[in-house]
Amino acid sequence: MSKNIEMAILLDTYGSMLTEKQYDTLSLYYDEDLSLSEIAENSGITRQGVHKCIRTSEEYLTQLEDTLGFAEKYRRICGICDELSELIGKNVDNAAEKAKINALIDDIKNTL
């Protein structure tokens, strides 16, 4: 997985644990795909300040994931749900049962 995608996932998972400035900076960089110069201009700080904020925030998000592992657990559970859906499609003939099981799987994903 590319670093940009991984950081966007970590930002979604742990973003509330960052300061507002850190969150906004990372969101502009990873979600909005703005350059360091564009973020600096919008934020009223130097390009180097933006760079430092991004690197510090990335390290913090990585530490959180290394310690807590929520993003990885989410990916694993989604993979299991996808496998269950596939098996249900192959092995359950009753449409009502299939729909109910798939609804439960969707609930699991949404709860995460």
Side-chain angles (χ1 to χ4, degrees):
M1 185 177 313
S2 80
K3 179 183 176 188
N4 287 356
I5 294 172
E6 180 64 23
M7 278 300 143
I9 291 169
L10 294 181
L11 182 60
D12 286 345
T13 305
Y14 302 110
S16 63
M17 299 181 83
L18 297 172
T19 66
E20 186 176 345
K21 178 182 174 182
Q22 288 173 319
Y23 180 85
D24 290 343
T25 302
L26 284 182
S27 180
L28 290 171
Y29 188 70
Y30 287 109
D31 296 337
E32 303 298 323
D33 200 30
L34 295 182
S35 69
L36 298 179
S37 298
E38 291 169 322
I39 297 169
E41 186 177 314
N42 291 341
S43 302
I45 59 175
T46 66
R47 184 183 176 284
Q48 291 165 321
V50 171
H51 184 266
K52 182 177 180 181
C53 180
I54 289 172
R55 295 301 161 240
T56 302
S57 302
E58 287 174 343
E59 289 172 10
Y60 183 59
L61 291 176
T62 301
Q63 275 183 326
L64 286 170
E65 178 60 15
D66 289 346
T67 302
L68 302 172
F70 291 146
E72 178 58 30
K73 289 174 187 170
Y74 175 79
R75 282 191 287 268
R76 284 196 338 246
I77 291 171
C78 284
I80 291 167
C81 288
D82 291 343
E83 286 182 43
L84 285 171
S85 292
E86 188 177 319
L87 287 171
I88 289 163
K90 292 178 181 177
N91 297 315
V92 176
D93 293 330
N94 183 315
E97 287 179 3
K98 191 181 290 191
K100 184 175 181 178
I101 294 168
N102 282 322
L104 292 170
I105 290 171
D106 289 340
D107 281 346
I108 291 169
K109 287 181 178 179
N110 292 331
T111 301
L112 297 173

